[in-house]
Amino acid sequence: MDDLAAIFKALSEPNRIRILKMLEIRPLCVCEITAVLDLAVSTVSKHLSILKACGLIYDVCENKWVIYHLNRRPGSKYVREISQLLKNWLADSEIVAADRRKVNRVDRNMLCRK
Amino acid sequence: MDDLAAIFKALSEPNRIRILKMLEIRPLCVCEITAVLDLAVSTVSKHLSILKACGLIYDVCENKWVIYHLNRRPGSKYVREISQLLKNWLADSEIVAADRRKVNRVDRNMLCRK
DNA sequence: CTTTCATTTCGATAACTAACGAAATGTGCG
DNA sequence: CGCACATTTCGTTAGTTATCGAAATGAAAG
């Protein structure tokens, strides 16, 4: 019950939904997500930790980046079934479409090498 | 997007999930739900207004009671599909089982006539 | 082994939420 | 009409959350 409520809570924040919809395009590092959402890095990191804590996403260290992936084989049946619904939703959302265009333009090598 | 987030937020509160699972048994008035959850009436009324605002439940005035019903034909596809999942979940939850036993014992005529 | 830099953690603040009791609302009955 | 009573609204309080910038962490590269 509390597990389930925690999953719903994770999904109750529009910025976190945007992150999940972005990750459907491709795995992303923190700085790429930050660039798309236009929030402070620490804020994005916190959102990611919440999504990760309930199993919606997972992360992999790669070179100097932490790459976040959509979890396509979740252990929890709640996560599995809700993720499946979410994948089919918001295809017509203008915000999601705009985020995805930005995802295609953004490149961690450009963003982070100063 | 914000609609969807609002639905997830409504579902992110354990007491509100309990209310939805109770309403699967039968429609209930505010005082019956209050008796089962053991919260202040005003708190329960607020939870019900949140569930109603996003279309998960609806209410009907009947005599001196306001009877809340699970919305089994939601207009929103989000509500429809999430409700369907929720109906199949938490069957094994001890809290839900206990609430449902209480629902079967509770009677608005006994509760409210003093 | 020190510098660089992506990320996380910390500390602070403002906004929001759940909870309560009391007051207001509204409905049915005498 | 006016009373009884179920429900909602209001005002308050305590706890939580989203956000930021600064400091800490940790890993790769010179």
Side-chain angles (χ1 to χ4, degrees), chain B residues 10 27 30 38-39 43 45 51 57 63 67 69 76 81 83 87 94 97 107-108 114:
Chain B
V30 180
D38 197 28
L39 290 173
T43 303
S45 178
L51 292 170
I57 62 175
N63 299 319
I67 312 292
H69 296 247
S76 152
E81 297 181 30
S83 295
K87 190 161 70 174
E94 191 41 59
D107 177 355
R108 65 189 71 130
K114 299 239 189 63

Side-chain angles (χ1 to χ4, degrees), chain B residues 9 13 15-16 39-40 42-43 47 63:
Chain B
K9 183 163 295 185
E13 230 290 328
N15 288 322
R16 289 196 286 265
L39 290 173
S42 57
T43 303
H47 282 315
N63 299 319

Side-chain angles (χ1 to χ4, degrees), chain B residues 55-97:
Chain B
L56 284 156
I57 62 175
Y58 66 94
D59 61 339
V60 176
C61 284
E62 228 174 87
N63 299 319
K64 59 177 152 188
W65 293 295
V66 178
I67 312 292
Y68 282 88
H69 296 247
L70 214 55
N71 186 358
R72 302 189 190 263
R73 302 234 188 302
S76 152
K77 85 176 160 188
Y78 301 139
V79 172
R80 197 176 327 122
E81 297 181 30
I82 296 177
S83 295
Q84 186 58 42
L85 289 187
L86 192 60
K87 190 161 70 174
N88 295 319
W89 287 345
L90 297 172
D92 56 342
S93 158
E94 191 41 59
I95 294 175
V96 169

Side-chain angles (χ1 to χ4, degrees), chain A:
Chain A
M1 162 85 85
D2 288 340
D3 301 353
L4 180 56
I7 296 165
F8 285 132
K9 183 163 293 185
L11 292 165
S12 72
E13 230 290 327
N15 288 322
R16 290 197 284 266
I17 296 179
R18 290 171 68 185
I19 291 173
L20 293 173
K21 298 303 285 182
M22 286 160 51
L23 291 177
E24 286 178 13
I25 303 296
R26 64 178 173 87
L28 295 165
C29 73
V30 180
C31 61
E32 290 172 316
I33 296 169
T34 301
V36 173
L37 293 183
D38 196 29
L39 290 173
V41 190
S42 57
T43 303
V44 171
S45 178
K46 179 67 177 162
H47 283 315
L48 289 166
S49 79
I50 291 168
L51 292 170
K52 181 180 161 185
C54 66
L56 285 156
I57 62 175
Y58 65 94
D59 62 339
V60 176
C61 284
E62 228 173 86
N63 300 318
K64 60 177 150 188
W65 294 294
V66 179
I67 312 292
Y68 282 88
H69 297 247
L70 215 54
N71 186 358
R72 302 190 189 265
R73 303 234 188 299
S76 152
K77 86 177 160 186
Y78 301 140
V79 172
R80 198 178 326 120
E81 297 181 31
I82 296 177
S83 296
Q84 186 58 42
L85 289 187
L86 192 60
K87 191 161 68 173
N88 296 318
W89 287 345
L90 296 173
D92 57 340
S93 158
E94 191 41 59
I95 293 175
V96 169
D99 287 348
R100 285 172 165 185
R101 280 191 296 274
K102 284 189 203 167
V103 164
N104 286 324
R105 287 202 312 269
V106 103
D107 176 357
R108 66 189 70 131
N109 290 295
M110 295 298 150
L111 272 176
C112 301
R113 291 267 175 72
K114 300 243 188 64

